[in-house]
Every structure is written in C-alpha cells, then in structure tokens.
Amino acid sequence: ASRFLGSTRWQALFVEWVILIVCACVVTLRGLEYALFSATEGLEAHATALHFPLTAWLGALFTAAASSSATSLANAILAVSALKVITSMTWLTVVGIQTGMGVAWHRFVAILNLYTRRNADGTKSLGPADHMLIDGKPVTSEDDFEDLPEDTVLGVGTVDDFSWKARLDLYACTECGRCQELCPAWNTQKPLSPKLLIMSLRDHMESASNVQIVEQEEGHQKLQAGEVLLDKGVPASPHSFDLVSALSLSGATGPEGVSAVTAPIVPEVVSEEVLWDCTNCGACVEQCPVDIEHIDHILDLRRHQVLMESAFPRDLGRAFRGMESKANPYNRPARKRMDWAK
C-alpha cells in the first residue's frame, strides 16, 4: 500500500494549490511592476533586469501587450494583489478551523517539536527508553513507587494523560508516511502503522477537546455513551473518510473509526494488537522529518496497560513471571545464567 494511505488528501491538495496560487501571484505582480515602470514616464530606468532579475522576461511580455497602458497595468496589479490576499486569508481561515490539519499546522509547530526533542544534543530519540513520569517527575528507582496516592495514573490511559510534548508531537505530524513505509510491522501485513497511530491519537484528542467545549458552553446537553460532538454539537466522526477507511482496512479499529471520547485509549482508539505489534526498532523515529517520538508514546500506552490494567499479551506472562521470580525473562535459575547470557 502507498505510504499516503490514510493521509487526508484534500488537505494536502488544498495546501499545494494555495502555495501555487500565492507563488504565481508574486511572480505576476513583479512582472506587472516591471511593465508599469516601463509604461510610466520618468520611471523607465527602473524597468531593468537588474531590478527584476527573475521576472524581467515576464514584464517584457506585459509591456508588449496591446493594452499595456499605465492605468490598465495598475488595475491588474490591484486585481492580482486582491487574489493573493483572498487566497492567503482563506488559508488562514481553514487552518484556524481545522486545528487537526497536520499538513498545514506542522509549519507552525515542527520547529518547536524539533527544538524540544528528548535528546538535548539533537540526536534522534533512540536507544534506552525514556523514564516513565509520575506527576511530571521521572521514575528512576523502585522507591519512586512508594506511597503513591490511589488516584495516581501510570502511563497514558486517556487523552488527559498526555504530556505537553506528546500533544506537540501529535500536531506536528505531516502525514508524509515515511514511518509507515519503513515499519516492519506494517510491511509484514500487521495492523500497526506509526502514521495512522499518531493521526488517530491526534483526531481523538481533537474530538475530546470539542466535547469539552460543548460541555462548557452547553452544560445542559447530555452526551450518549461513545458519542462524539464536533463543531458545537454536530455529531460526526473525528476522522476524515480516508483515515477511517485506512484504519478499517488495516484492522486497527472498526469501520466506525474512533468515536468514544470518554473511553480509554486502549482498546477504543488503539487496538491491543496495534499496541503490541511494535518491535521498538526505531525505524519510525529515525525517518520522521519532524522528530515525532512514536516509541515513547507506544511505551506510555503499554505501561498503562501493564501497570494499571494488568492487560498484556498472554505470551508476556511467562516473561513477566520470570523477571519477578528469577530476574530474567527466560525463567531460568541464576546458576544457569551463563547458559543463556552468552
């Protein structure tokens, strides 16, 4: 499958057309300015290739036009300028409404995401796993688990548990699909796609935010179980059609997409199979152009499942018992350590 499977096509085309129109307007304006100088008495000296190194050829074409009077050229400049302003304002309006539009928003948040990456030396977030956080503080020893309040949340279970860096990661996704293209799980026909995972978490967080807005502004309105309200009360799927189709085809979620805001992320947003298919190889992190830390988010979801829900694949049960009783995942006695540690 294409690495663009699941990416929101209309958003990408919209951004590309906006860029094309704005660039065309800029080039046209420079050409018209050249022609206006040529047609205005006393300003002919400014109509040179020195002042217009890239657009003098276009200005010469406008100058040679039959209706290239100064008045018509000035009116043309006004028309093209208006088109450029309208296009730019349309882009800003759409981006402001579609806050989950990663194709556009990464232009604003990618630089912040790169600056706040986990490793201060600028290297990718590979190697040892990052520490789990409890109340914003890293867990570095068993003593950190002592005397925890009963309402302490370990890992990430709902959207409210995301750190600010995790939220920034989700909004920085460009939907380019490089991570999906190189993911060994995806390439072996498993439902895990790092791109679809990030997109589904982002859209789920968006839908949760919209529900909170509705509840604050319309406190009398009651939400049915699993119902999502977008745009101040209009029931809808938080996903684009392409993403719903991609998630359904991959087996990552049902055909209805992600709809339950109040439900836990696993399994309502991310299926258990997707969560545990990750091999932690780091290919997604290595290839991401905006340094999204996919593995950190997957580990946080797994930590919550193991430590809070006691939910994990049956195959890991033996490994966990071995770690608990024999200090190794193979359940071997300590005296035979060298037999398997070679």
Side-chain angles (χ1 to χ4, degrees):
S2 168
R3 67 185 175 98
F4 296 110
L5 175 67
S7 298
T8 315
R9 181 178 176 83
W10 76 263
Q11 294 180 357
L13 293 176
F14 172 75
V15 172
E16 290 175 358
W17 273 105
V18 166
I19 294 174
L20 178 62
I21 293 173
V22 170
C23 289
C25 287
V26 171
V27 173
T28 303
L29 284 173
R30 292 294 290 169
L32 289 171
E33 289 172 3
Y34 178 99
L36 182 61
F37 287 151
S38 298
T40 304
E41 185 177 355
L43 297 178
E44 297 89 343
H46 295 286
T48 65
L50 179 63
H51 291 87
F52 299 87
L54 300 179
T55 55
W57 62 273
L58 183 60
L61 295 178
F62 288 139
T63 302
S67 59
S68 58
S69 64
T71 301
S72 61
L73 290 171
N75 291 334
I77 289 176
L78 288 176
V80 176
S81 298
L83 175 61
K84 179 176 178 293
V85 171
I86 292 172
T87 302
S88 300
M89 293 305 297
T90 301
W91 184 79
L92 290 173
T93 301
V94 172
V95 170
I97 295 174
Q98 297 284 336
T99 53
M101 189 174 177
V103 178
W105 273 100
H106 80 271
R107 289 165 170 78
F108 302 102
V109 301
I111 185 65
L112 297 176
N113 207 50
L114 291 168
Y115 180 75
T116 57
R117 69 186 80 182
R118 192 213 306 170
N119 296 335
D121 59 0
T123 58
K124 295 283 187 176
S125 302
L126 301 172
D130 197 16
H131 294 291
M132 183 174 65
L133 300 179
I134 297 180
D135 295 332
K137 299 179 181 179
V139 176
T140 57
S141 68
E142 294 182 3
D143 296 337
D144 295 327
F145 289 99
E146 298 294 333
D147 301 325
L148 290 177
E150 292 185 1
D151 59 350
T152 299
V153 176
L154 304 178
V156 172
T158 65
V159 291
D160 293 333
D161 301 328
F162 280 128
S163 66
W164 65 267
K165 179 58 172 67
R167 295 170 186 262
L168 190 62
D169 267 359
L170 301 184
Y171 281 108
C173 180
T174 67
E175 302 182 19
C176 66
R178 291 182 177 90
C179 56
Q180 177 174 288
E181 187 175 41
L182 294 176
C183 177
W186 179 262
N187 286 320
T188 52
Q189 310 305 314
K190 294 181 175 63
L192 169 63
S193 162
K195 182 188 73 174
L196 297 180
L197 173 68
I198 294 297
M199 291 175 63
S200 59
L201 290 174
R202 179 198 66 199
D203 289 352
H204 176 63
M205 185 168 63
E206 277 286 299
S207 65
S209 299
N210 285 324
V211 167
Q212 291 174 358
I213 292 174
V214 171
E215 290 177 338
Q216 291 173 1
E217 296 184 356
E218 304 176 20
H220 64 280
Q221 187 168 357
K222 301 296 183 181
L223 299 179
Q224 301 296 325
E227 183 181 7
V228 172
L229 298 179
L230 298 178
D231 300 328
K232 295 187 177 181
V234 180
S237 169
H239 297 301
S240 67
F241 176 79
D242 288 343
L243 182 55
V244 172
S245 300
L247 289 169
S248 180
L249 287 173
S250 69
T253 188
E256 300 300 325
V258 179
S259 59
V261 172
T262 56
I265 292 178
V266 180
E268 296 297 334
V269 182
V270 178
S271 70
E272 294 180 1
E273 185 178 3
V274 165
L275 181 63
W276 293 101
D277 275 343
C278 178
T279 64
N280 293 1
C281 68
C284 51
V285 178
E286 179 68 32
Q287 290 297 318
C288 182
V290 292
D291 273 9
I292 294 175
E293 297 161 354
H294 309 73
I295 294 180
D296 288 353
H297 308 320
I298 292 175
L299 289 180
D300 281 335
L301 292 172
R302 286 178 174 177
R303 285 163 174 163
H304 184 85
Q305 288 299 104
V306 173
L307 298 175
M308 300 294 292
E309 305 295 336
S310 295
F312 46 83
R314 184 178 302 175
D315 296 341
L316 292 179
R318 184 173 183 275
F320 287 160
R321 287 192 297 271
M323 291 292 293
E324 183 178 9
S325 60
K326 301 294 194 320
N328 69 80
Y330 307 105
N331 212 19
R332 301 285 185 85
R335 66 177 181 275
K336 294 186 177 181
R337 177 179 178 84
M338 296 309 298
D339 292 343
W340 55 266
K342 295 178 181 179

